[in-house]
Amino acid sequence: MPPVASAVAATASTTNTTRATSTTATTTTTRAVPRTTTTTTTTPAPSTATTTPPPPPPPTRKREKAAPPKPSLALLITSLLIDYRWVFVVPVVLPLSYLFAAYWAWRGWVVRVLGKPFRTHDGTVKYIQKQIDEWRNKGSKGLLCSARPAFLMVTLRDGLYKTKDNAIHLPLWDILELDTEKRTVKVEPGVSIGQLTRFLIPKGWCIPVIPEYDDLTMGGMLFGYGIEGSSHKYGLFNDIVVSADVIVGTNELRIIPVKKYCRLVYEPVSRVDDMVKRFSELAEAPEPPEYLEGLQFDYHRGVLMHGDFADEVGNDGYLNEMGKWWKPWFHRHAELLSKKPAPDSRVRSAPRLLPPPHPLHLLDLRQHRPHGQTTPFSGTTLGWLMPPSVNFLKLTQTEGMKDFYFDKHVSQDYLVPLDKMKEGLDLAHQAFEVYPVWLCPHAVLKTTPQGAIRAPKDGAEIEQYVDIGIWGVPGPVPRGEAFSAHDAGREYETWLRKNRGYQAMYGITEMNEARVPRDAVRKKYGCEGVFMDAAQRC
C-alpha cells in the first residue's frame, strides 16, 4: 500500500429489486448475510447433465523426471518442516492467529463504543507528513514505501526493500464515518475487510465487493486488487471507491443494504464446456444473481455456485452454518456436493463466533488454500481456533520453505476476458495442473477517467472477465517431474498479454520486461526518485 494514501472509503448502490435465482437439479444453499430489503424468487435452470463421456483434457507438458536433490541437512530439515508443519502450527500459529484477530475485534468494539478513533485523522496525517519531511531532510535515502511488516503483506515478496531510512509508518486503521443517506463509508487505508464487515453488517449494510480474505486492507485493494463473487455486477474493488485523497484526506466507499441470509445454489458440472457456458450465461444475464463463483476440482468436474440475499430459510433448503469450527472447509463441502446426483438444498447462516469469518466470505482464502484441516484431530479439538492466519504462517517460514514455495508452488490470480475462459482453463491445466481452480467473474466498466483496467472493447459500457485463481502445488511436483513455477508463470503471462488479460498485482510477475514508463506522471507530481516503479513492486 503506497504511503501517500491517508484514508479509503467506499459506497455501494443498493439493489432493492426482485431477482430470479436459478436452482438446478443440484444443491441450493443459503449463507448468512446481513439485512437488506430485497426479495428472491427461484426459476428452474437449464440442466447441464450429459450422457456421453467428456472428451479427454488437453495434454499436459511433457516433463522429464526431476533429478533427485543433493542430500543435505538443510534439505532434510526443510522437508520435515513442510511435511509436519502442523506440529508448529497447532500449538503456536493457531493461538497467535486467534489472539491477533481478537485484539483487532476488541479494538474495533472499543472505537465503536467510544464513538471516535484512538487518534484523530488529521493528527495522523500530520505525523505521516513529518516522516516524509524527515526522509527528504536526510537525503531521500531509498524509495518510499510503507513500514508494514513483510509478513502482513498479501504478497510473496520478501519486503527486503523496506529499511529504517525509507519506510513510513502509517497508523491509519480506523473507520471514520458512515453515511447511510449517501450510502457511503469513510475509512482509512489500513482498515481491513474483516474490520469493515464487522462494523457494517450489524447495521444492515455491506460494501458491494467484499474480497474473501479478512486481512486485506482498503489501501491495498484500491492500489492493488480486490475481487468477489459480486464483481460481475459491481466490478473490482476500485470501482466502488467514490473518492480517495492523498495524504490530506479520506476515501469513500459505496455500501449496499443486506439481508439476514444468502440463498446459495450449487450446480455440479461434469464437462468444462458446460461450466464455461453456464458461468457465462449467469455472469452476462440481464438480472444476474448477486453472487457467482465456480470451483473446478479437475479439468472437467466442478461446481457452480450462485446466490441472492434472503430474509428467511424457506422450504427448499435448510440452514447450513458454514464457517462454524466443526464444519468442513468450504471447498471440501462444495466438492462433496458436486458429486451428488440428486437435488440437495442448503442454507448458510452468519457465524456468531468472535472474531467471526464474514458470512459473505464463501471461499476465504485461508479455507481454500491447501492447508487442509491442519491435522486429523485439530478440527475436533482446536477447530474453534481455525483458520490459521496466512500472515502468521508466512512469519514462521524458514528460508528453505520460502524457496520451495517460490519454485514448486503457485499463488496467482489471472484476469481473463470471459470469451477466453476456455482457453485460459486449458492453459492452466497444461502449464500448472493445480486443482481446485477458483473462478470468479468481474465486470470491467467504462468510466471517466478509466480505472485500473482498460475500457471494454468496441466502446461497450461493460465487459465481463473471469478471475482464474490458481493456488497450490502443481501436479508435476508430487509426480517427481521437473517443474519450474517461474517458467510456467512466464508462459501464462505471455498468453495473457496477447489476449487482453491481466495478472493480479499481489502476485510476482515472471516477465523480463515488466517496467511501465511513468516518467511523465512522476515528473508532473514531483515524484521522480520517490516511489518504486511497477517492475520494482512486482
Side-chain angles (χ1 to χ4, degrees):
M1 177 183 64
V4 293
S6 75
V8 190
T11 341
S13 61
T14 186
T15 51
N16 293 339
T17 56
T18 303
R19 180 168 279 102
T21 339
S22 46
T23 98
T24 95
T26 342
T27 13
T28 43
T29 285
T30 354
R31 49 178 179 166
V33 162
R35 305 207 166 143
T36 353
T37 54
T38 74
T39 59
T40 41
T41 60
T42 59
T43 58
S47 172
T48 57
T50 181
T51 55
T52 58
T60 58
R61 303 285 180 263
K62 291 185 177 180
R63 298 180 175 91
E64 301 292 333
K65 280 292 182 181
K70 185 178 180 181
S72 68
L73 179 60
L75 178 62
L76 176 62
I77 293 174
T78 297
S79 299
L80 289 174
L81 288 174
I82 291 175
D83 293 339
Y84 298 96
R85 188 87 187 275
W86 65 269
V87 174
F88 187 75
V89 168
V90 171
V92 178
V93 174
L94 279 180
L96 282 177
S97 301
Y98 183 83
L99 292 174
F100 184 75
Y103 164 76
W104 283 102
W106 170 83
R107 185 185 184 279
W109 176 81
V110 171
V111 169
R112 290 194 295 273
V113 170
L114 295 177
K116 61 180 181 180
F118 287 105
R119 53 164 63 89
T120 66
H121 176 73
D122 291 342
T124 304
V125 170
K126 290 179 180 178
Y127 168 62
I128 295 170
Q129 291 172 326
K130 181 181 177 182
Q131 292 180 79
I132 295 176
D133 288 339
E134 291 175 351
W135 170 78
R136 290 191 181 279
N137 294 335
K138 292 180 180 179
S140 304
K141 296 180 181 178
L143 299 174
L144 283 181
C145 61
S146 77
R148 193 181 191 199
F151 79 92
L152 291 177
M153 298 164 54
V154 185
T155 178
L156 295 178
R157 292 207 64 186
D158 50 25
L160 295 179
Y161 54 88
K162 297 174 181 279
T163 70
K164 62 181 181 63
D165 294 319
N166 70 336
I168 305 298
H169 185 219
L170 304 173
L172 295 163
W173 307 312
D174 291 309
I175 300 166
L176 303 177
E177 179 186 339
L178 173 64
D179 188 331
T180 55
E181 290 187 5
K182 293 182 178 178
R183 296 190 173 184
T184 62
V185 59
K186 292 183 179 180
V187 300
E188 294 180 329
V191 171
S192 70
I193 200 70
Q195 180 183 350
L196 183 58
T197 53
R198 282 191 294 268
F199 171 79
L200 289 175
I201 285 177
K203 296 174 171 54
W205 298 88
C206 72
I207 57 175
V209 179
I210 304 180
E212 298 170 341
Y213 182 26
D214 275 357
D215 296 335
L216 295 173
T217 63
M218 304 297 112
M221 291 184 290
L222 172 60
F223 293 103
Y225 169 72
I227 192 172
E228 155 63 28
S230 59
S231 287
H232 62 295
K233 292 183 62 177
Y234 303 106
L236 297 178
F237 180 84
N238 58 278
D239 290 309
I240 67 168
V241 177
V242 176
S243 65
D245 295 340
V246 175
I247 284 295
V248 293
T250 60
N251 304 312
E252 284 187 285
L253 302 172
R254 299 165 57 202
I255 57 174
I256 57 173
V258 289
K259 293 184 179 179
K260 188 176 180 180
Y261 302 105
C262 179
R263 182 177 178 283
L264 190 65
V265 179
Y266 295 83
E267 295 187 25
V269 294
S270 57
R271 290 170 174 259
V272 67
D273 289 336
D274 293 338
M275 170 63 84
V276 172
K277 179 182 178 182
R278 182 68 176 139
F279 190 93
S280 302
E281 287 174 353
L282 289 172
E284 297 180 322
E287 289 290 327
E290 192 73 14
Y291 294 96
L292 172 63
E293 295 176 359
L295 281 174
Q296 284 292 114
F297 297 103
D298 57 38
Y299 178 73
H300 280 297
R301 184 173 57 88
V303 61
L304 189 65
M305 299 157 287
H306 52 93
D308 287 277
F309 294 142
D311 288 314
E312 41 188 47
V313 174
N315 307 344
D316 61 345
Y318 63 84
L319 190 64
N320 180 15
E321 297 187 274
M322 186 59 62
K324 295 286 189 176
W325 59 268
W326 62 85
K327 290 286 187 175
W329 301 116
F330 179 77
H331 71 283
R332 299 293 188 197
H333 166 73
E335 185 173 15
L336 290 174
L337 295 181
S338 74
K339 299 176 181 178
K340 290 195 173 186
D344 184 15
S345 298
R346 303 176 187 274
V347 181
R348 183 180 176 205
S349 78
R352 300 300 179 196
L353 299 177
L354 177 69
H358 184 270
L360 291 178
H361 293 191
L362 184 59
L363 291 177
D364 189 307
L365 297 187
R366 290 171 294 182
Q367 299 189 23
H368 187 166
R369 287 181 177 176
H371 301 310
Q373 293 286 74
T374 305
T375 72
F377 59 84
S378 62
T380 53
T381 58
L382 296 175
W384 58 279
L385 291 174
M386 292 287 187
S389 169
V390 171
N391 296 330
F392 285 102
L393 289 172
K394 287 171 59 180
L395 181 63
T396 55
Q397 286 179 351
T398 65
E399 289 302 316
M401 295 169 71
K402 290 179 183 177
D403 291 341
F404 172 83
Y405 288 128
F406 271 117
D407 296 333
K408 306 299 180 185
H409 190 275
V410 179
S411 293
Q412 294 283 3
D413 282 84
Y414 295 122
L415 315 184
V416 178
L418 194 58
D419 58 5
K420 298 290 183 180
M421 179 177 174
K422 175 62 163 53
E423 293 180 43
L425 289 173
D426 286 349
L427 183 57
H429 178 79
Q430 293 173 313
F432 299 109
E433 280 189 89
V434 172
Y435 292 98
V437 169
W438 182 55
L439 303 172
C440 184
H442 67 94
V444 175
L445 308 174
K446 184 178 181 181
T447 59
T448 304
Q450 189 57 40
I453 293 181
R454 68 173 68 92
K457 65 179 181 180
D458 302 328
E461 294 296 319
I462 184 173
E463 180 182 6
Q464 289 291 344
Y465 272 60
V466 57
D467 179 334
I468 299 179
I470 303 173
W471 315 307
V473 179
V477 174
R479 294 198 298 264
E481 299 174 3
F483 176 82
S484 169
H486 309 291
D487 292 341
R490 189 175 298 114
E491 179 183 4
Y492 208 101
E493 287 183 63
T494 300
W495 177 83
L496 277 179
R497 282 157 176 75
K498 292 178 180 178
N499 290 277
R500 302 173 51 254
Y502 301 86
Q503 178 192 27
M505 292 183 67
Y506 78 83
I508 294 179
T509 179
E510 299 293 348
M511 302 302 288
N512 294 325
E513 298 179 2
R515 293 184 178 273
V516 178
R518 300 177 65 183
D519 292 342
V521 177
R522 291 167 184 269
K523 186 175 182 180
K524 178 179 178 180
Y525 292 101
C527 294
E528 295 169 296
V530 176
F531 300 112
M532 292 182 288
D533 63 21
Q536 292 167 320
R537 291 285 305 211
C538 299

